[in-house]
Amino acid sequence: MTYIKLTKKLQNYVHNVDTSFTSQTITATSKSNNTAFNSADVVYTPVENALNVVYEISFQIDWNPDYYSSLMSFRLEYSDDDGSTWTDLTGTQAFIGSSQQTNPAESAWHIYTFKFILDAWTGERKIRANGPCWASSTQYTLGRSFNASDSTGVGSCPHVSIYSIM
């Protein structure tokens, strides 16, 4: 077996996990501040001469409060002015979720993991995940788990990693 040493290829690695995270119910159907994922934003400056920046995110959602669907219009956004304005990162949009299940207990929550390879930029940039609902009937909760014996609780917080590729 051959191993490739990547220490010089991956640089400025940042991993963001907010252990004080609490569940966040997403109810808005258009991109707004209350559809940006709590604890999933990161401020990042690529290393000089980086070819790309990789942004990875894992998050958990629950169908609650609309038990028969959890549809979202996911995207990454960036801000070059410390969050005053936000712009979609082209190529990071995804329509994800489930709908029309016959028994919500069968698939009450989902875990999603995305890895985006972005073009490198110069200077500091704030990046966040945003996921408005597809429709008012497809509200969902970020970070809420469905546990044994039909109980619920706070699930995992979003995990974000970002790093430069040389």
Side-chain angles (χ1 to χ4, degrees), residues 24-26 30-41 75 77 86 128-132 140 142:
Q24 175 188 6
T25 301
I26 308 288
S30 63
K31 190 173 65 168
S32 64
N33 286 337
N34 65 346
T35 60
F37 289 4
N38 291 342
S39 304
D41 58 330
R75 69 184 41 81
E77 300 174 317
W86 293 93
R128 72 180 184 185
N130 197 322
Y140 64 95
L142 176 70

Side-chain angles (χ1 to χ4, degrees), residues 17-25 38-39 59-62 64 109-111 141-148 150-159:
V17 178
D18 181 2
T19 57
S20 64
F21 171 82
T22 57
S23 298
Q24 175 188 6
T25 301
N38 291 342
S39 304
F59 59 94
Q60 178 181 24
I61 66 167
D62 176 28
N64 181 279
W109 55 273
H110 306 277
I111 296 174
T141 302
L142 176 70
R144 182 169 185 256
S145 67
F146 186 78
N147 305 320
D150 291 333
S151 64
T152 60
V154 175
S156 64
C157 60
H159 289 243

Side-chain angles (χ1 to χ4, degrees), residues 96-107:
I96 57 177
S98 300
S99 69
Q100 303 305 315
Q101 298 295 322
T102 57
N103 181 359
E106 291 176 359
S107 301

